[in-house]
């Protein structure tokens, strides 16, 4: 199953807002349609956004204004801009060159996820490992397989995975809706954990490693990821549990010196005061909704990419 692909002249992607109730594929033929899908999180996850950005440049057909709007659709995840820029650099060579680059980014992402899965699994010692994670970092966040959840997938294939403890990941419940769905499909043992319980469970023991993905990794190793990651890093540090970031090289942004320079997207109050159209807070309630937080590099045990293990 591929999260996103190029099929007969259009982008096809799984509509992640419909999961786990329905597995629906959207066919996207214009840049504006793709921007809409990105903003409403029909397609999400840093690596998948990189592929979406590159394929979106193909849809733009040389329209530089459309390319610029696509590049700005989500500010925190560096992969979107990275994918757009790589494909846009080939525009002067013609549409076939742009498509060639976009498909290479797609194929490179698949290979990178397999490599990260092996490298991450090799980094962890033990035969019955209990892994904690936040948000969704499986195949739905990439093209196939995944980053942090890809490591769990590899451990499961090796018979070394005891359990995945997946945080629900509020307010949109990507852990409950998406990660649990993917773990169920792979037949991996798992349980859901409320976000606030994660650090407490780390303190109690029984968790062997925390694995997270990343939306942007600054030059010094500070890492922006889904909100809740920082709390897990603090809990892991206190408990002496390895806290490992798994992300492709394309998520490392050498132009961002440190985490304080990462723009954090605020997605507005609607996602907090309501869920799937049903209000859960009193009328008139406002909310803060930072979609990401930043984990300082000194709380990170290792960053695993397809090419190396970095010790920040």
């Amino acid at each position: 199953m591929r999260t996103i692909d190029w099929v007969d002249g259009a982008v096809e992607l799984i509509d992640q807002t419909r999961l786990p109730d329905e597995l629906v594929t959207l066919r996207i033929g214009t840049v504006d349609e793709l921007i809409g899908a990105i903003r409403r999180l029909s397609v999400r996850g840093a690596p998948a956004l990189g592929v979406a950005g590159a394929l979106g440049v193909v849809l733009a057909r040389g329209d530089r204004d459309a390319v610029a709007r696509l590049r700005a659709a989500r500010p925190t995840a560096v992969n979107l801009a990275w994918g757009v820029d790589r494909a846009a650099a080939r525009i002067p060579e013609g549409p076939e060159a742009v498509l060639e680059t976009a498909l290479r980014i797609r194929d490179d992402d698949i290979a990178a996820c397999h490599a990260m899965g092996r490298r991450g699994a090799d980094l962890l010692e033990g035969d019955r490992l209990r892994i904690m994670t936040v948000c969704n970092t499986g195949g739905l966040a990439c093209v196939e397989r995944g980053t942090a959840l890809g490591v769990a997938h590899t451990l499961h294939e090796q018979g070394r995975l005891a359990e995945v403890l997946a945080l629900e990941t509020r307010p949109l419940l990507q852990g409950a809706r998406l990660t649990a769905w993917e773990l169920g499909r792979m037949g991996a043992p798992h349980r859901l954990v409320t976000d606030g319980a994660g650090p407490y469970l780390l303190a109690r023991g029984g968790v062997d490693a925390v694995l997270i993905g990343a939306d942007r990794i600054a030059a010094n190793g500070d890492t922006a990821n889904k909100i809740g990651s920082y709390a897990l890093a603090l809990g892991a540090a206190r408990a002496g549990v390895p806290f490992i970031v798994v992300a492709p090289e394309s998520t490392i942004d050498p132009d961002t010196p440190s985490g304080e320079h990462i723009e954090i997207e605020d997605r507005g109050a609607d996602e907090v005061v309501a869920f799937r159209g049903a209000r859960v807070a009193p009328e008139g309630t406002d909310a803060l909704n930072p979609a990401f937080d930043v984990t300082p590099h000194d709380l990170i045990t290792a960053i695993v990419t397809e090419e190396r293990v970095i010790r920040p």
Side-chain angles (χ1 to χ4, degrees):
M1 182 188 74
R2 289 190 174 180
T3 296
I4 184 169
D5 209 349
W6 181 259
V7 181
D8 297 331
V11 177
E12 290 193 354
L13 55 88
I14 293 174
D15 185 353
Q16 298 185 42
T17 67
R18 307 284 288 274
L19 291 170
D21 303 318
E22 299 177 283
L23 180 56
V24 175
T25 299
L26 299 178
R27 186 166 173 84
I28 305 291
T30 69
V31 172
D32 286 336
E33 289 174 348
L34 183 58
I35 290 172
I38 290 170
R39 287 180 173 163
R40 68 176 176 267
L41 305 185
S42 289
V43 59
R44 43 142 300 277
L49 289 175
V51 177
L55 293 175
V57 176
V58 181
L59 295 178
R61 297 176 174 84
D63 183 341
R64 292 286 185 176
D65 178 67
V67 169
R69 287 187 288 109
L70 175 63
R71 191 182 191 278
R74 295 285 307 276
T76 302
V78 69
N79 295 67
L80 175 60
W82 172 86
V84 168
D85 291 346
R86 283 194 62 185
R90 302 291 303 278
I91 288 176
E93 301 171 55
E96 291 302 318
V98 176
L99 178 59
E100 177 190 27
T101 297
L103 296 182
R104 186 182 310 120
I105 290 172
R106 177 201 63 188
D107 294 343
D108 286 350
D109 181 72
I110 296 170
C113 286
H114 282 273
M116 286 183 285
R118 292 190 298 268
R119 196 178 301 278
D122 289 346
L123 186 64
L124 298 172
E125 298 180 356
D127 293 326
R128 297 290 297 163
L129 296 171
R130 181 171 282 110
I131 302 300
M132 183 174 284
T133 190
V134 63
C135 199
N136 173 258
T137 58
L140 290 169
C142 304
V143 179
E144 296 177 3
R145 201 166 183 92
T147 56
L149 205 63
V151 175
H153 196 156
T154 300
L155 291 170
H156 179 56
E157 291 173 338
Q158 295 174 347
R160 299 172 56 208
L161 181 69
E163 185 178 32
V164 175
L165 298 175
L167 269 63
E168 289 176 301
T169 317
R170 296 178 184 274
L172 294 179
L173 300 177
Q174 292 100 323
R177 293 189 304 104
L178 307 180
T179 297
W181 184 78
E182 289 196 272
L183 288 166
R185 285 172 63 91
M186 74 172 75
H190 62 281
R191 284 183 288 177
L192 279 177
V193 175
T194 61
D195 290 3
Y200 169 67
L201 293 174
L202 287 167
R204 288 186 61 187
V207 177
D208 296 293
V210 177
L211 300 179
I212 71 164
D215 288 86
R216 188 185 298 255
I217 301 172
N220 71 339
D222 293 349
T223 295
N225 192 53
K226 182 63 184 179
I227 192 76
S229 301
Y230 180 41
L232 288 184
L234 291 170
R238 181 65 179 265
V241 174
F243 185 89
I244 298 170
V245 175
V246 186
E249 289 282 329
S250 55
T251 306
I252 300 174
D253 181 11
D255 295 328
T256 299
S258 66
E260 64 185 21
H261 297 90
I262 297 175
E263 179 182 355
I264 299 299
E265 178 183 2
D266 187 317
R267 292 188 54 82
D270 289 348
E271 293 177 350
V272 179
V273 301
F275 183 72
R276 288 190 166 183
R279 176 165 287 278
V280 296
E283 191 73 38
T285 302
D286 203 354
L288 289 173
N289 184 18
F292 307 92
D293 56 27
V294 176
T295 299
H297 63 275
D298 58 357
L299 293 177
I300 297 171
T301 306
I303 298 171
V304 176
T305 79
E306 69 272 31
E307 297 181 3
R308 52 187 171 155
V309 175
I310 305 167
R311 307 282 185 174

